Amino acid sequence: MKPCPCGSGLAYAQCCEPYLMGAQKPPTAEALMRSRYSAYVEHAVEYILNTCIRGGERDIDEKQTRAWSENSTWLGLKILSVTKGQAEDIEGSVEFEARYEQEGLKELHHERARFKKQDGVWLYEDGTIIPHTVVRTAPKVGRNEPCPCGSGKKYKHCCGRSARTEQAP
């Protein structure tokens, strides 16, 4: 059996597929979040659009959503926290990380998503992107320091030169 892309550990047919096929409605905000991730993996853009609260500036761009879904290799979903969003609630939030690869680059989408229940159905309301801070693993090399490549030249005359020419317009 095909494992569910959402990472629940269940088979796709017993997890997100019934939601994507319209046979069931997700009972919680987390279940909706997981099914929306699976929809990106499965390129089920209509499901993504139909599980959003519509109206105004927050409307989702279908063309951009389709491109993101189809031009990405989805690598995994990690649920970091869930606040409310249970079957008896009317609102909730899910903080998650979705890993994907696009054009050979591995990316991380970290978001705190808000959900609301309307007429008994969970819908995605909006989300806040949480920026990913890059932490330097090695000390920064000064321009006048010896180049770390071992050439014996100053950094600015060696590897620093190639870095500057790559940045030039």
PDB file of all heavy atoms in Angstrom, residues 7-43:
ATOM      1  N   GLY A   7       2.839  11.930   6.103  1.00  0.00           N
ATOM      2  CA  GLY A   7       3.739  11.428   7.127  1.00  0.00           C
ATOM      3  C   GLY A   7       3.053  10.885   8.361  1.00  0.00           C
ATOM      4  O   GLY A   7       3.690  10.690   9.391  1.00  0.00           O
ATOM      5  N   SER A   8       1.763  10.605   8.280  1.00  0.00           N
ATOM      6  CA  SER A   8       1.025  10.091   9.439  1.00  0.00           C
ATOM      7  C   SER A   8       1.409   8.669   9.798  1.00  0.00           C
ATOM      8  O   SER A   8       1.123   8.216  10.902  1.00  0.00           O
ATOM      9  CB  SER A   8      -0.480  10.140   9.162  1.00  0.00           C
ATOM     10  OG  SER A   8      -0.808   9.221   8.116  1.00  0.00           O
ATOM     11  N   GLY A   9       2.009   7.948   8.848  1.00  0.00           N
ATOM     12  CA  GLY A   9       2.331   6.549   9.067  1.00  0.00           C
ATOM     13  C   GLY A   9       1.235   5.614   8.578  1.00  0.00           C
ATOM     14  O   GLY A   9       1.397   4.404   8.585  1.00  0.00           O
ATOM     15  N   LEU A  10       0.118   6.171   8.146  1.00  0.00           N
ATOM     16  CA  LEU A  10      -0.995   5.386   7.615  1.00  0.00           C
ATOM     17  C   LEU A  10      -0.878   5.260   6.104  1.00  0.00           C
ATOM     18  O   LEU A  10      -0.165   6.023   5.456  1.00  0.00           O
ATOM     19  CB  LEU A  10      -2.334   6.044   7.966  1.00  0.00           C
ATOM     20  CG  LEU A  10      -2.649   6.210   9.457  1.00  0.00           C
ATOM     21  CD1 LEU A  10      -3.904   7.045   9.632  1.00  0.00           C
ATOM     22  CD2 LEU A  10      -2.801   4.852  10.119  1.00  0.00           C
ATOM     23  N   ALA A  11      -1.625   4.338   5.557  1.00  0.00           N
ATOM     24  CA  ALA A  11      -1.707   4.213   4.105  1.00  0.00           C
ATOM     25  C   ALA A  11      -2.505   5.400   3.558  1.00  0.00           C
ATOM     26  O   ALA A  11      -3.441   5.887   4.212  1.00  0.00           O
ATOM     27  CB  ALA A  11      -2.381   2.906   3.719  1.00  0.00           C
ATOM     28  N   TYR A  12      -2.146   5.858   2.378  1.00  0.00           N
ATOM     29  CA  TYR A  12      -2.825   6.986   1.740  1.00  0.00           C
ATOM     30  C   TYR A  12      -4.334   6.749   1.658  1.00  0.00           C
ATOM     31  O   TYR A  12      -5.127   7.643   1.951  1.00  0.00           O
ATOM     32  CB  TYR A  12      -2.220   7.211   0.350  1.00  0.00           C
ATOM     33  CG  TYR A  12      -2.829   8.328  -0.452  1.00  0.00           C
ATOM     34  CD1 TYR A  12      -2.875   9.627   0.042  1.00  0.00           C
ATOM     35  CD2 TYR A  12      -3.340   8.091  -1.724  1.00  0.00           C
ATOM     36  CE1 TYR A  12      -3.415  10.662  -0.701  1.00  0.00           C
ATOM     37  CE2 TYR A  12      -3.885   9.112  -2.477  1.00  0.00           C
ATOM     38  CZ  TYR A  12      -3.932  10.393  -1.965  1.00  0.00           C
ATOM     39  OH  TYR A  12      -4.468  11.413  -2.698  1.00  0.00           O
ATOM     40  N   ALA A  13      -4.743   5.539   1.312  1.00  0.00           N
ATOM     41  CA  ALA A  13      -6.169   5.212   1.161  1.00  0.00           C
ATOM     42  C   ALA A  13      -6.927   5.323   2.488  1.00  0.00           C
ATOM     43  O   ALA A  13      -8.135   5.573   2.493  1.00  0.00           O
ATOM     44  CB  ALA A  13      -6.334   3.810   0.584  1.00  0.00           C
ATOM     45  N   GLN A  14      -6.242   5.154   3.624  1.00  0.00           N
ATOM     46  CA  GLN A  14      -6.884   5.254   4.928  1.00  0.00           C
ATOM     47  C   GLN A  14      -6.649   6.607   5.597  1.00  0.00           C
ATOM     48  O   GLN A  14      -7.164   6.845   6.684  1.00  0.00           O
ATOM     49  CB  GLN A  14      -6.370   4.158   5.877  1.00  0.00           C
ATOM     50  CG  GLN A  14      -7.013   2.801   5.694  1.00  0.00           C
ATOM     51  CD  GLN A  14      -6.578   2.113   4.418  1.00  0.00           C
ATOM     52  OE1 GLN A  14      -5.395   2.018   4.143  1.00  0.00           O
ATOM     53  NE2 GLN A  14      -7.544   1.665   3.638  1.00  0.00           N
ATOM     54  N   CYS A  15      -5.891   7.472   4.969  1.00  0.00           N
ATOM     55  CA  CYS A  15      -5.552   8.752   5.600  1.00  0.00           C
ATOM     56  C   CYS A  15      -6.136   9.922   4.799  1.00  0.00           C
ATOM     57  O   CYS A  15      -7.291  10.276   4.991  1.00  0.00           O
ATOM     58  CB  CYS A  15      -4.030   8.853   5.737  1.00  0.00           C
ATOM     59  SG  CYS A  15      -3.475  10.208   6.801  1.00  0.00           S
ATOM     60  N   CYS A  16      -5.386  10.494   3.897  1.00  0.00           N
ATOM     61  CA  CYS A  16      -5.796  11.715   3.202  1.00  0.00           C
ATOM     62  C   CYS A  16      -6.606  11.496   1.931  1.00  0.00           C
ATOM     63  O   CYS A  16      -7.366  12.378   1.528  1.00  0.00           O
ATOM     64  CB  CYS A  16      -4.565  12.564   2.887  1.00  0.00           C
ATOM     65  SG  CYS A  16      -3.793  13.268   4.371  1.00  0.00           S
ATOM     66  N   GLU A  17      -6.469  10.353   1.298  1.00  0.00           N
ATOM     67  CA  GLU A  17      -7.171  10.137   0.027  1.00  0.00           C
ATOM     68  C   GLU A  17      -8.686  10.326   0.133  1.00  0.00           C
ATOM     69  O   GLU A  17      -9.274  10.982  -0.738  1.00  0.00           O
ATOM     70  CB  GLU A  17      -6.843   8.759  -0.546  1.00  0.00           C
ATOM     71  CG  GLU A  17      -7.448   8.552  -1.926  1.00  0.00           C
ATOM     72  CD  GLU A  17      -7.080   7.215  -2.532  1.00  0.00           C
ATOM     73  OE1 GLU A  17      -7.066   6.198  -1.797  1.00  0.00           O
ATOM     74  OE2 GLU A  17      -6.800   7.191  -3.743  1.00  0.00           O
ATOM     75  N   PRO A  18      -9.364   9.814   1.174  1.00  0.00           N
ATOM     76  CA  PRO A  18     -10.816  10.045   1.250  1.00  0.00           C
ATOM     77  C   PRO A  18     -11.191  11.523   1.302  1.00  0.00           C
ATOM     78  O   PRO A  18     -12.237  11.922   0.787  1.00  0.00           O
ATOM     79  CB  PRO A  18     -11.225   9.333   2.548  1.00  0.00           C
ATOM     80  CG  PRO A  18     -10.158   8.316   2.778  1.00  0.00           C
ATOM     81  CD  PRO A  18      -8.899   8.927   2.237  1.00  0.00           C
ATOM     82  N   TYR A  19     -10.335  12.356   1.886  1.00  0.00           N
ATOM     83  CA  TYR A  19     -10.596  13.797   1.926  1.00  0.00           C
ATOM     84  C   TYR A  19     -10.420  14.404   0.532  1.00  0.00           C
ATOM     85  O   TYR A  19     -11.248  15.171   0.065  1.00  0.00           O
ATOM     86  CB  TYR A  19      -9.668  14.508   2.921  1.00  0.00           C
ATOM     87  CG  TYR A  19      -9.684  13.938   4.316  1.00  0.00           C
ATOM     88  CD1 TYR A  19      -8.513  13.838   5.043  1.00  0.00           C
ATOM     89  CD2 TYR A  19     -10.861  13.505   4.917  1.00  0.00           C
ATOM     90  CE1 TYR A  19      -8.500  13.328   6.339  1.00  0.00           C
ATOM     91  CE2 TYR A  19     -10.867  12.985   6.204  1.00  0.00           C
ATOM     92  CZ  TYR A  19      -9.688  12.901   6.909  1.00  0.00           C
ATOM     93  OH  TYR A  19      -9.676  12.399   8.179  1.00  0.00           O
ATOM     94  N   LEU A  20      -9.336  14.043  -0.136  1.00  0.00           N
ATOM     95  CA  LEU A  20      -9.061  14.581  -1.465  1.00  0.00           C
ATOM     96  C   LEU A  20     -10.107  14.142  -2.491  1.00  0.00           C
ATOM     97  O   LEU A  20     -10.402  14.876  -3.426  1.00  0.00           O
ATOM     98  CB  LEU A  20      -7.657  14.195  -1.941  1.00  0.00           C
ATOM     99  CG  LEU A  20      -6.531  15.135  -1.527  1.00  0.00           C
ATOM    100  CD1 LEU A  20      -6.321  15.197  -0.047  1.00  0.00           C
ATOM    101  CD2 LEU A  20      -5.246  14.771  -2.213  1.00  0.00           C
ATOM    102  N   MET A  21     -10.670  12.967  -2.297  1.00  0.00           N
ATOM    103  CA  MET A  21     -11.684  12.441  -3.219  1.00  0.00           C
ATOM    104  C   MET A  21     -13.086  12.948  -2.880  1.00  0.00           C
ATOM    105  O   MET A  21     -14.026  12.706  -3.631  1.00  0.00           O
ATOM    106  CB  MET A  21     -11.685  10.904  -3.196  1.00  0.00           C
ATOM    107  CG  MET A  21     -10.408  10.287  -3.705  1.00  0.00           C
ATOM    108  SD  MET A  21     -10.230  10.648  -5.453  1.00  0.00           S
ATOM    109  CE  MET A  21      -8.576  11.281  -5.506  1.00  0.00           C
ATOM    110  N   GLY A  22     -13.232  13.638  -1.742  1.00  0.00           N
ATOM    111  CA  GLY A  22     -14.538  14.169  -1.352  1.00  0.00           C
ATOM    112  C   GLY A  22     -15.426  13.177  -0.624  1.00  0.00           C
ATOM    113  O   GLY A  22     -16.586  13.466  -0.351  1.00  0.00           O
ATOM    114  N   ALA A  23     -14.914  11.997  -0.286  1.00  0.00           N
ATOM    115  CA  ALA A  23     -15.702  10.979   0.410  1.00  0.00           C
ATOM    116  C   ALA A  23     -15.913  11.332   1.883  1.00  0.00           C
ATOM    117  O   ALA A  23     -16.891  10.909   2.487  1.00  0.00           O
ATOM    118  CB  ALA A  23     -15.032   9.614   0.287  1.00  0.00           C
ATOM    119  N   GLN A  24     -14.971  12.093   2.463  1.00  0.00           N
ATOM    120  CA  GLN A  24     -15.053  12.506   3.867  1.00  0.00           C
ATOM    121  C   GLN A  24     -14.546  13.936   4.003  1.00  0.00           C
ATOM    122  O   GLN A  24     -13.835  14.434   3.129  1.00  0.00           O
ATOM    123  CB  GLN A  24     -14.188  11.599   4.744  1.00  0.00           C
ATOM    124  CG  GLN A  24     -14.605  10.163   4.798  1.00  0.00           C
ATOM    125  CD  GLN A  24     -13.607   9.330   5.618  1.00  0.00           C
ATOM    126  OE1 GLN A  24     -12.764   9.856   6.340  1.00  0.00           O
ATOM    127  NE2 GLN A  24     -13.707   8.016   5.488  1.00  0.00           N
ATOM    128  N   LYS A  25     -14.895  14.553   5.132  1.00  0.00           N
ATOM    129  CA  LYS A  25     -14.379  15.880   5.473  1.00  0.00           C
ATOM    130  C   LYS A  25     -13.387  15.718   6.624  1.00  0.00           C
ATOM    131  O   LYS A  25     -13.646  14.943   7.552  1.00  0.00           O
ATOM    132  CB  LYS A  25     -15.506  16.821   5.911  1.00  0.00           C
ATOM    133  CG  LYS A  25     -16.550  17.057   4.851  1.00  0.00           C
ATOM    134  CD  LYS A  25     -16.030  17.945   3.775  1.00  0.00           C
ATOM    135  CE  LYS A  25     -17.127  18.226   2.747  1.00  0.00           C
ATOM    136  NZ  LYS A  25     -16.602  18.798   1.543  1.00  0.00           N
ATOM    137  N   PRO A  26     -12.262  16.423   6.599  1.00  0.00           N
ATOM    138  CA  PRO A  26     -11.307  16.327   7.708  1.00  0.00           C
ATOM    139  C   PRO A  26     -11.967  16.744   9.026  1.00  0.00           C
ATOM    140  O   PRO A  26     -12.589  17.812   9.093  1.00  0.00           O
ATOM    141  CB  PRO A  26     -10.198  17.297   7.321  1.00  0.00           C
ATOM    142  CG  PRO A  26     -10.325  17.458   5.843  1.00  0.00           C
ATOM    143  CD  PRO A  26     -11.784  17.307   5.535  1.00  0.00           C
ATOM    144  N   PRO A  27     -11.839  15.937  10.088  1.00  0.00           N
ATOM    145  CA  PRO A  27     -12.513  16.241  11.357  1.00  0.00           C
ATOM    146  C   PRO A  27     -11.809  17.284  12.219  1.00  0.00           C
ATOM    147  O   PRO A  27     -12.401  17.821  13.144  1.00  0.00           O
ATOM    148  CB  PRO A  27     -12.533  14.884  12.069  1.00  0.00           C
ATOM    149  CG  PRO A  27     -11.324  14.177  11.536  1.00  0.00           C
ATOM    150  CD  PRO A  27     -11.189  14.634  10.111  1.00  0.00           C
ATOM    151  N   THR A  28     -10.536  17.575  11.920  1.00  0.00           N
ATOM    152  CA  THR A  28      -9.764  18.530  12.721  1.00  0.00           C
ATOM    153  C   THR A  28      -8.956  19.442  11.807  1.00  0.00           C
ATOM    154  O   THR A  28      -8.766  19.145  10.628  1.00  0.00           O
ATOM    155  CB  THR A  28      -8.782  17.799  13.665  1.00  0.00           C
ATOM    156  OG1 THR A  28      -7.819  17.105  12.856  1.00  0.00           O
ATOM    157  CG2 THR A  28      -9.498  16.825  14.597  1.00  0.00           C
ATOM    158  N   ALA A  29      -8.460  20.533  12.388  1.00  0.00           N
ATOM    159  CA  ALA A  29      -7.602  21.450  11.631  1.00  0.00           C
ATOM    160  C   ALA A  29      -6.323  20.739  11.194  1.00  0.00           C
ATOM    161  O   ALA A  29      -5.851  20.927  10.072  1.00  0.00           O
ATOM    162  CB  ALA A  29      -7.276  22.681  12.469  1.00  0.00           C
ATOM    163  N   GLU A  30      -5.767  19.887  12.060  1.00  0.00           N
ATOM    164  CA  GLU A  30      -4.553  19.166  11.694  1.00  0.00           C
ATOM    165  C   GLU A  30      -4.819  18.208  10.532  1.00  0.00           C
ATOM    166  O   GLU A  30      -3.993  18.091   9.615  1.00  0.00           O
ATOM    167  CB  GLU A  30      -3.981  18.388  12.875  1.00  0.00           C
ATOM    168  CG  GLU A  30      -2.709  17.644  12.503  1.00  0.00           C
ATOM    169  CD  GLU A  30      -2.097  16.838  13.634  1.00  0.00           C
ATOM    170  OE1 GLU A  30      -2.542  16.966  14.794  1.00  0.00           O
ATOM    171  OE2 GLU A  30      -1.143  16.078  13.358  1.00  0.00           O
ATOM    172  N   ALA A  31      -5.943  17.515  10.558  1.00  0.00           N
ATOM    173  CA  ALA A  31      -6.276  16.599   9.458  1.00  0.00           C
ATOM    174  C   ALA A  31      -6.412  17.377   8.147  1.00  0.00           C
ATOM    175  O   ALA A  31      -5.969  16.910   7.093  1.00  0.00           O
ATOM    176  CB  ALA A  31      -7.563  15.838   9.769  1.00  0.00           C
ATOM    177  N   LEU A  32      -6.996  18.584   8.219  1.00  0.00           N
ATOM    178  CA  LEU A  32      -7.096  19.416   7.011  1.00  0.00           C
ATOM    179  C   LEU A  32      -5.705  19.840   6.551  1.00  0.00           C
ATOM    180  O   LEU A  32      -5.393  19.783   5.356  1.00  0.00           O
ATOM    181  CB  LEU A  32      -7.969  20.647   7.250  1.00  0.00           C
ATOM    182  CG  LEU A  32      -8.074  21.592   6.049  1.00  0.00           C
ATOM    183  CD1 LEU A  32      -8.660  20.891   4.826  1.00  0.00           C
ATOM    184  CD2 LEU A  32      -8.886  22.821   6.407  1.00  0.00           C
ATOM    185  N   MET A  33      -4.829  20.222   7.495  1.00  0.00           N
ATOM    186  CA  MET A  33      -3.468  20.629   7.134  1.00  0.00           C
ATOM    187  C   MET A  33      -2.741  19.486   6.446  1.00  0.00           C
ATOM    188  O   MET A  33      -2.111  19.670   5.399  1.00  0.00           O
ATOM    189  CB  MET A  33      -2.720  21.056   8.404  1.00  0.00           C
ATOM    190  CG  MET A  33      -1.289  21.473   8.203  1.00  0.00           C
ATOM    191  SD  MET A  33      -1.115  22.876   7.127  1.00  0.00           S
ATOM    192  CE  MET A  33      -0.282  22.107   5.773  1.00  0.00           C
ATOM    193  N   ARG A  34      -2.829  18.303   7.013  1.00  0.00           N
ATOM    194  CA  ARG A  34      -2.167  17.141   6.432  1.00  0.00           C
ATOM    195  C   ARG A  34      -2.723  16.840   5.040  1.00  0.00           C
ATOM    196  O   ARG A  34      -1.965  16.542   4.115  1.00  0.00           O
ATOM    197  CB  ARG A  34      -2.311  15.922   7.340  1.00  0.00           C
ATOM    198  CG  ARG A  34      -1.480  16.010   8.603  1.00  0.00           C
ATOM    199  CD  ARG A  34      -1.632  14.758   9.471  1.00  0.00           C
ATOM    200  NE  ARG A  34      -0.762  14.803  10.621  1.00  0.00           N
ATOM    201  CZ  ARG A  34       0.536  14.515  10.599  1.00  0.00           C
ATOM    202  NH1 ARG A  34       1.128  14.160   9.474  1.00  0.00           N
ATOM    203  NH2 ARG A  34       1.260  14.594  11.707  1.00  0.00           N
ATOM    204  N   SER A  35      -4.041  16.937   4.883  1.00  0.00           N
ATOM    205  CA  SER A  35      -4.639  16.640   3.581  1.00  0.00           C
ATOM    206  C   SER A  35      -4.268  17.695   2.544  1.00  0.00           C
ATOM    207  O   SER A  35      -4.086  17.379   1.366  1.00  0.00           O
ATOM    208  CB  SER A  35      -6.157  16.500   3.694  1.00  0.00           C
ATOM    209  OG  SER A  35      -6.783  17.724   4.019  1.00  0.00           O
ATOM    210  N   ARG A  36      -4.114  18.936   2.963  1.00  0.00           N
ATOM    211  CA  ARG A  36      -3.696  19.984   2.022  1.00  0.00           C
ATOM    212  C   ARG A  36      -2.260  19.744   1.563  1.00  0.00           C
ATOM    213  O   ARG A  36      -1.942  19.929   0.390  1.00  0.00           O
ATOM    214  CB  ARG A  36      -3.852  21.375   2.664  1.00  0.00           C
ATOM    215  CG  ARG A  36      -5.316  21.806   2.748  1.00  0.00           C
ATOM    216  CD  ARG A  36      -5.493  23.096   3.523  1.00  0.00           C
ATOM    217  NE  ARG A  36      -4.681  24.179   3.001  1.00  0.00           N
ATOM    218  CZ  ARG A  36      -5.018  24.983   1.975  1.00  0.00           C
ATOM    219  NH1 ARG A  36      -6.157  24.808   1.358  1.00  0.00           N
ATOM    220  NH2 ARG A  36      -4.209  25.945   1.596  1.00  0.00           N
ATOM    221  N   TYR A  37      -1.390  19.303   2.471  1.00  0.00           N
ATOM    222  CA  TYR A  37      -0.028  18.953   2.065  1.00  0.00           C
ATOM    223  C   TYR A  37      -0.080  17.799   1.053  1.00  0.00           C
ATOM    224  O   TYR A  37       0.577  17.850   0.008  1.00  0.00           O
ATOM    225  CB  TYR A  37       0.831  18.558   3.280  1.00  0.00           C
ATOM    226  CG  TYR A  37       2.193  18.057   2.866  1.00  0.00           C
ATOM    227  CD1 TYR A  37       3.225  18.951   2.563  1.00  0.00           C
ATOM    228  CD2 TYR A  37       2.439  16.694   2.717  1.00  0.00           C
ATOM    229  CE1 TYR A  37       4.468  18.489   2.143  1.00  0.00           C
ATOM    230  CE2 TYR A  37       3.679  16.232   2.302  1.00  0.00           C
ATOM    231  CZ  TYR A  37       4.680  17.132   2.010  1.00  0.00           C
ATOM    232  OH  TYR A  37       5.906  16.672   1.582  1.00  0.00           O
ATOM    233  N   SER A  38      -0.865  16.776   1.352  1.00  0.00           N
ATOM    234  CA  SER A  38      -1.005  15.646   0.427  1.00  0.00           C
ATOM    235  C   SER A  38      -1.543  16.108  -0.923  1.00  0.00           C
ATOM    236  O   SER A  38      -1.147  15.578  -1.965  1.00  0.00           O
ATOM    237  CB  SER A  38      -1.917  14.567   1.022  1.00  0.00           C
ATOM    238  OG  SER A  38      -1.294  13.967   2.134  1.00  0.00           O
ATOM    239  N   ALA A  39      -2.420  17.094  -0.902  1.00  0.00           N
ATOM    240  CA  ALA A  39      -2.962  17.625  -2.163  1.00  0.00           C
ATOM    241  C   ALA A  39      -1.859  18.289  -2.988  1.00  0.00           C
ATOM    242  O   ALA A  39      -1.845  18.162  -4.218  1.00  0.00           O
ATOM    243  CB  ALA A  39      -4.085  18.616  -1.870  1.00  0.00           C
ATOM    244  N   TYR A  40      -0.935  18.981  -2.344  1.00  0.00           N
ATOM    245  CA  TYR A  40       0.201  19.548  -3.082  1.00  0.00           C
ATOM    246  C   TYR A  40       1.035  18.432  -3.696  1.00  0.00           C
ATOM    247  O   TYR A  40       1.430  18.514  -4.850  1.00  0.00           O
ATOM    248  CB  TYR A  40       1.079  20.416  -2.175  1.00  0.00           C
ATOM    249  CG  TYR A  40       0.588  21.834  -2.022  1.00  0.00           C
ATOM    250  CD1 TYR A  40      -0.170  22.216  -0.931  1.00  0.00           C
ATOM    251  CD2 TYR A  40       0.872  22.799  -2.990  1.00  0.00           C
ATOM    252  CE1 TYR A  40      -0.635  23.513  -0.787  1.00  0.00           C
ATOM    253  CE2 TYR A  40       0.424  24.098  -2.858  1.00  0.00           C
ATOM    254  CZ  TYR A  40      -0.334  24.448  -1.755  1.00  0.00           C
ATOM    255  OH  TYR A  40      -0.793  25.731  -1.640  1.00  0.00           O
ATOM    256  N   VAL A  41       1.281  17.373  -2.930  1.00  0.00           N
ATOM    257  CA  VAL A  41       2.070  16.249  -3.435  1.00  0.00           C
ATOM    258  C   VAL A  41       1.377  15.584  -4.616  1.00  0.00           C
ATOM    259  O   VAL A  41       2.008  15.256  -5.623  1.00  0.00           O
ATOM    260  CB  VAL A  41       2.318  15.212  -2.313  1.00  0.00           C
ATOM    261  CG1 VAL A  41       3.012  13.973  -2.865  1.00  0.00           C
ATOM    262  CG2 VAL A  41       3.142  15.821  -1.183  1.00  0.00           C
ATOM    263  N   GLU A  42       0.067  15.407  -4.506  1.00  0.00           N
ATOM    264  CA  GLU A  42      -0.720  14.708  -5.529  1.00  0.00           C
ATOM    265  C   GLU A  42      -1.207  15.642  -6.643  1.00  0.00           C
ATOM    266  O   GLU A  42      -1.921  15.206  -7.537  1.00  0.00           O
ATOM    267  CB  GLU A  42      -1.924  14.019  -4.877  1.00  0.00           C
ATOM    268  CG  GLU A  42      -1.544  12.952  -3.863  1.00  0.00           C
ATOM    269  CD  GLU A  42      -0.863  11.758  -4.489  1.00  0.00           C
ATOM    270  OE1 GLU A  42      -1.237  11.374  -5.615  1.00  0.00           O
ATOM    271  OE2 GLU A  42       0.049  11.203  -3.853  1.00  0.00           O
ATOM    272  N   HIS A  43      -0.850  16.911  -6.576  1.00  0.00           N
ATOM    273  CA  HIS A  43      -1.251  17.933  -7.558  1.00  0.00           C
ATOM    274  C   HIS A  43      -2.778  18.073  -7.642  1.00  0.00           C
ATOM    275  O   HIS A  43      -3.331  18.322  -8.707  1.00  0.00           O
ATOM    276  CB  HIS A  43      -0.664  17.660  -8.940  1.00  0.00           C
ATOM    277  CG  HIS A  43       0.792  17.312  -8.914  1.00  0.00           C
ATOM    278  ND1 HIS A  43       1.737  18.122  -8.314  1.00  0.00           N
ATOM    279  CD2 HIS A  43       1.462  16.230  -9.366  1.00  0.00           C
ATOM    280  CE1 HIS A  43       2.927  17.554  -8.419  1.00  0.00           C
ATOM    281  NE2 HIS A  43       2.790  16.405  -9.045  1.00  0.00           N
TER     282      HIS A  43
END
